[in-house]
Amino acid sequence: MKEKLEEILRSGEEKITQAINTIELQDVKASLLGKMGSVTEILKEIPRLDASMRAEIGKAANKLKDHFTEMIDARREELSLKASEIPTDFDLTVPGLQPHGGALHPITQMCYDLNDTFRSMGFEIFEESDISSELYAFDNLNFPADHPARESMDTYWLAGYEDKRGGERLCLRPHLTGASVRYLQTHNPPCRFVYPGRAYRNESTDARHERAFYQYEALIIDREFTFSAGKVMIKSILSKIFGRDVPVRMRVGFFPFVEPGFEIDMGCLVCGGAGCSVCKHVGWIELMPGGTPHPNVLRAAGLDPNEYTGFYVNIGLDRLVMMRYEVSDVRLFRSADLRFLSQFK
């Protein structure tokens, strides 16, 4: 056993001295003092030795353990100091390398810009989970029981909840609008808030559509709020985002959760209104639905529709980014192509 300790001492000192970096030194430490290390194995064998040898071998093994620990600490400090030394052949006149700078994804940047814009108008930022339920995604929003949006061809329902209904039937949220009821159930009007986030729909992808995409909704609830004030708010937001006046038009549209409802279009900034694949060659691009919250939605939130009204818009965040940077295909933003994404630094 003494000969074995002497061999471990000789071999260990050699390995510690020859370690050229801290990673290699850590491996040497593990081979000597780790759970399966050679010194640890000696200590494990002591109870099985003859009683007359246990004290002597135990003392020698512990002394060896302390010796290796001191050597390893000293070698680690030596390697650390050496790593910070400037090589003698280093030319200080050689220009350095420009570090690669990161940047926010353009959709994230647009979301932050909208947050700043709405905060300046007194809005609160609200967020919720990507997992919603039939209750908040459809029932509270006045969707009929047979509405096609409830089908799996449009909504991603979570497996294992097929036999559930209402709040117990879970899905990936197909839109953010359910957050409006969730917010109003815990906040007293008057209130104005926005809720950005990702929505999910089971649909084919093309230049203007994705299965997972970003929306940005805004809602004002008050005793009185005029339609014209809502339009002015929309034009003000778009002008601030794009830094110029943006053509806007409002068309009558139907959505179960608003009454009356409308579609808001903006002039296509990719083609300047001349017509392109993004705007389907009409010069306008559908940007957001909006309207006055339906009385049934207000009732679901615990509000009296005879007392309160409001104004709601759902901004297609991805399309807004396409307009800002004149990008013709929304799929590029999720392509992970650094050649494309590096343009937005």
Side-chain angles (χ1 to χ4, degrees):
M1 185 62 72
K2 291 182 180 180
E3 291 78 7
K4 189 173 183 180
L5 285 171
E6 291 176 358
E7 174 59 27
I8 294 174
L9 173 63
R10 184 194 62 77
S11 175
E13 288 180 337
E14 184 177 348
K15 290 179 180 179
I16 294 171
T17 303
Q18 293 179 353
I20 60 175
N21 54 55
T22 56
I23 296 177
E24 190 172 315
L25 184 64
Q26 187 63 31
D27 292 338
V28 172
K29 181 179 180 180
S31 69
L32 295 173
L33 306 178
K35 290 183 178 180
M36 305 296 292
S38 52
V39 176
T40 306
E41 291 297 323
I42 294 292
L43 292 171
K44 290 179 181 178
E45 292 182 17
I46 291 176
R48 294 189 289 272
L49 297 176
D50 185 85
S52 61
M53 298 179 60
R54 291 176 189 171
E56 182 181 0
I57 298 301
K59 183 178 180 180
N62 281 303
K63 185 177 180 180
L64 183 60
K65 180 179 179 181
D66 294 339
H67 175 65
F68 281 152
T69 300
E70 292 176 1
M71 279 196 68
I72 290 170
D73 290 343
R75 182 58 177 166
R76 181 180 291 109
E77 184 176 355
E78 182 182 349
L79 291 172
S80 298
L81 293 173
K82 189 175 181 180
S84 62
E85 293 178 355
I86 299 177
T88 55
D89 59 346
F90 183 76
D91 187 354
L92 294 175
T93 64
V94 175
L97 298 176
Q98 180 70 31
H100 294 291
L104 292 174
H105 191 280
I107 294 178
T108 302
Q109 184 61 61
M110 176 64 81
C111 184
Y112 287 173
D113 291 345
L114 282 171
N115 285 347
D116 292 341
T117 301
F118 276 104
R119 281 196 184 101
S120 69
M121 301 171 68
F123 282 73
E124 180 185 349
I125 310 297
F126 176 68
E127 295 183 4
E128 65 164 4
S129 170
D130 287 12
I131 304 296
S132 187
S133 67
E134 185 178 39
L135 176 65
Y136 282 95
F138 298 107
D139 296 344
N140 287 341
L141 300 181
N142 197 45
F143 278 81
D146 59 350
H147 197 282
R150 293 177 182 258
E151 301 297 327
S152 57
M153 65 180 183
D154 194 70
T155 298
Y156 288 111
W157 295 101
L158 270 61
Y161 296 89
E162 295 83 0
D163 59 338
K164 306 293 185 180
R165 289 294 179 268
E168 295 183 351
R169 189 183 184 194
L170 304 182
C171 63
L172 292 177
R173 58 186 181 191
H175 46 235
L176 303 184
T177 316
S180 60
V181 175
R182 196 184 301 273
Y183 179 94
L184 293 172
Q185 287 175 338
T186 56
H187 294 74
N188 295 322
C191 53
R192 51 179 62 196
F193 60 100
V194 295
Y195 33 110
R198 182 178 290 180
Y200 308 85
R201 289 183 192 165
N202 186 10
E203 59 182 30
S204 300
T205 60
D206 57 32
R208 300 170 70 241
H209 298 87
E210 275 280 12
R211 292 186 179 91
F213 53 94
Y214 285 90
Q215 293 183 335
Y216 196 102
E217 298 201 2
L219 179 62
I220 297 174
I221 296 293
D222 209 331
R223 297 183 186 278
E224 293 183 6
F225 192 86
T226 63
F227 226 62
S228 58
K231 185 175 181 179
V232 170
M233 181 187 74
I234 293 168
K235 285 189 66 69
S236 299
I237 292 168
L238 294 178
S239 297
K240 189 166 185 178
I241 290 297
F242 292 103
R244 54 173 163 156
D245 185 56
V246 178
V248 172
R249 71 178 184 182
M250 300 175 70
R251 298 177 289 112
V252 175
F254 171 76
F255 304 96
F257 41 85
V258 289
E259 181 60 43
F262 56 87
E263 294 274 11
I264 302 174
D265 302 334
M266 65 176 288
C268 182
L269 301 184
V270 175
C271 63
C276 64
S277 61
V278 177
C279 63
K280 296 184 179 180
H281 305 282
V282 297
W284 294 88
I285 184 167
E286 178 187 328
L287 189 64
M288 62 185 90
T292 301
H294 194 284
N296 290 341
V297 175
L298 294 175
R299 291 189 185 98
L303 301 178
D304 184 355
N306 295 317
E307 185 177 357
Y308 290 101
T309 184
F311 188 82
Y312 155 89
V313 289
N314 178 335
I315 302 171
L317 197 57
D318 295 12
R319 293 182 185 177
L320 204 61
V321 177
M322 292 173 70
M323 293 296 99
R324 169 181 273 187
Y325 298 107
E326 300 183 6
V327 175
S328 60
D329 195 327
V330 69
R331 292 168 293 190
L332 291 171
F333 291 114
R334 296 171 180 81
S335 65
D337 188 340
L338 295 181
R339 295 171 302 175
F340 172 76
L341 295 175
S342 62
Q343 302 176 72
F344 304 101
K345 291 183 178 180

